[in-house]
């Protein structure tokens, strides 16, 4: 599925994106999405059909990224796109519910949320010199307001008080929010998330105490370069296997082989977002519908069932996808703890592959019955995307 982004057109060059949004256009195309230009003046004048006359007809869903519209104008945009077979991923009702209200103080940071996941934090456009560092607790509180909006693409404006406690000042629609002072990498991160979510792939998978957070190519690049990808890691830094897997995912993306959903995920605790390790795929399913899974954990996270929970969750998601027929995993011959993890998570031993024990996913009912969170010894497991 190809996502379409609607960006403001250049008044002097019909059909071209306004120069002020060219960075977004590049990021959208790099993420594998299509881009079309709108006539914002026509939208504001209620001439919706003319405003989207250059939008190609087709069934692919649409993210709007442009100037603010009234609820009536946005409804007109939705109707005009529907006439061209297109559907806005934020419908008129959701747009109306997420209209931004003026904050009662000057925000320091703007957090961009897609499907309830904070994918980007930037300095607010009204305070471009501020250092946006909302705390984990502040994001947790903001997430409650995001959930109330019912909107898939949301911004929250936050600011610390005199005591340093962050609070949410305003919740707005992400489609019309100003990006402010962002880098190319930050823009790419946002559009990768929007493209993945709009295509029907998860940015996060949650099961009780565990959340798997998708790391798109720009986040993997940050890990491969020695960064943290904006995550708090239980041992202070990501484990070596996760870093190695992230680097390989960057290489796949550079070769045009990355597909949303079939990359790297951070294994995190649901309660506080602390990252415990990585899990993911070697790449998207091949022509036979086969994909391979790998994982690893930080040393201090081992022995508490996190690996089994993570493998079980991601394998169950993968098996539900129509493009998958066989899900495989391999381990080093001596890595008995990881072999037990796979068996408990629903994999069956099927022999050897290139001298290593090979396993195939048979479904959650095929596991040993270990309950989620059951303590167990866990080995390194290998790169999350070897």
């Amino acid at each position: 599925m190809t996502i379409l982004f609607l960006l403001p057109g250049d008044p002097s060059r019909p059909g071209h994106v306004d120069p002020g949004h060219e960075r977004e256009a590049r990021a959208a195309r790099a993420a594998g999405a299509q881009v079309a230009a709108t006539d914002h003046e026509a939208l504001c004048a209620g001439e919706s059909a003319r405003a989207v006359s250059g939008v190609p007809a087709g069934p692919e869903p649409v993210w709007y990224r442009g100037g603010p519209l009234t609820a009536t104008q946005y409804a007109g945009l939705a109707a005009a796109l529907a006439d061209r077979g297109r559907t806005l991923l934020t419908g008129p009702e959701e747009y109306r519910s997420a209209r931004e209200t003026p904050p009662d103080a000057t925000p320091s940071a703007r957090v961009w949320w897609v499907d309830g996941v904070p994918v980007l934090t930037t300095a607010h456009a009204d305070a471009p010199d501020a250092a946006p560092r909302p705390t984990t607790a502040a994001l947790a509180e903001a997430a409650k307001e995001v959930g109330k909006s019912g909107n898939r693409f949301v911004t929250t404006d936050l600011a610390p008080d005199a005591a340093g406690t962050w609070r949410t000042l305003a919740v707005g629609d992400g489609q019309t929010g100003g990006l402010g002072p962002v880098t190319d990498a930050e823009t790419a991160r946002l559009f990768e998330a929007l493209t993945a979510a709009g295509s029907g792939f998860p940015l996060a998978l949650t099961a009780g105490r565990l959340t798997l957070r998708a790391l798109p190519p720009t986040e993997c690049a940050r890990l491969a370069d020695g960064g943290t990808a904006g995550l708090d890691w239980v041992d202070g830094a990501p484990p070596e296997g996760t870093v190695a897997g992230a680097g390989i995912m960057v290489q796949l993306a550079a070769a045009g082989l990355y597909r949303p959903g079939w990359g790297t995920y951070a294994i995190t605790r649901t309660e506080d977002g602390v990252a415990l390790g990585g899990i993911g795929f070697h790449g998207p399913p091949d022509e036979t519908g086969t994909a391979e899974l790998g994982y690893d954990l930080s040393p201090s996270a081992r022995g508490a069932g996190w690996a089994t929970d993570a493998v079980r969750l991601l394998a169950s998601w993968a098996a539900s996808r129509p493009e998958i027929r066989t899900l495989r995993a391999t381990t080093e011959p001596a890595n008995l703890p990881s072999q037990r993890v796979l068996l408990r998570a629903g994999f069956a031993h099927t022999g050897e592959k290139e001298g290593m024990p090979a396993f195939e996913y048979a479904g959650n009912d095929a596991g040993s019955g270990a309950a989620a969170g059951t303590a167990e010894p866990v080995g390194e497991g290998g790169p999350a995307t070897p």
Side-chain angles (χ1 to χ4, degrees), residues 283-297:
D286 62 20
E287 63 278 1
T288 69
T290 300
E292 191 164 344
L293 178 149
Y295 72 93
D296 74 334
L297 285 179

Side-chain angles (χ1 to χ4, degrees), residues 6-9 17-29 35 65-67 175-179 187 191:
L6 289 184
L7 301 176
V17 173
D18 185 87
H21 285 76
E22 188 55 44
R23 173 184 280 173
E24 296 188 33
R26 290 195 302 269
R29 295 188 182 103
V35 173
R65 273 291 300 159
Q175 297 185 118
T176 59
L179 275 180
T187 306
F191 277 80

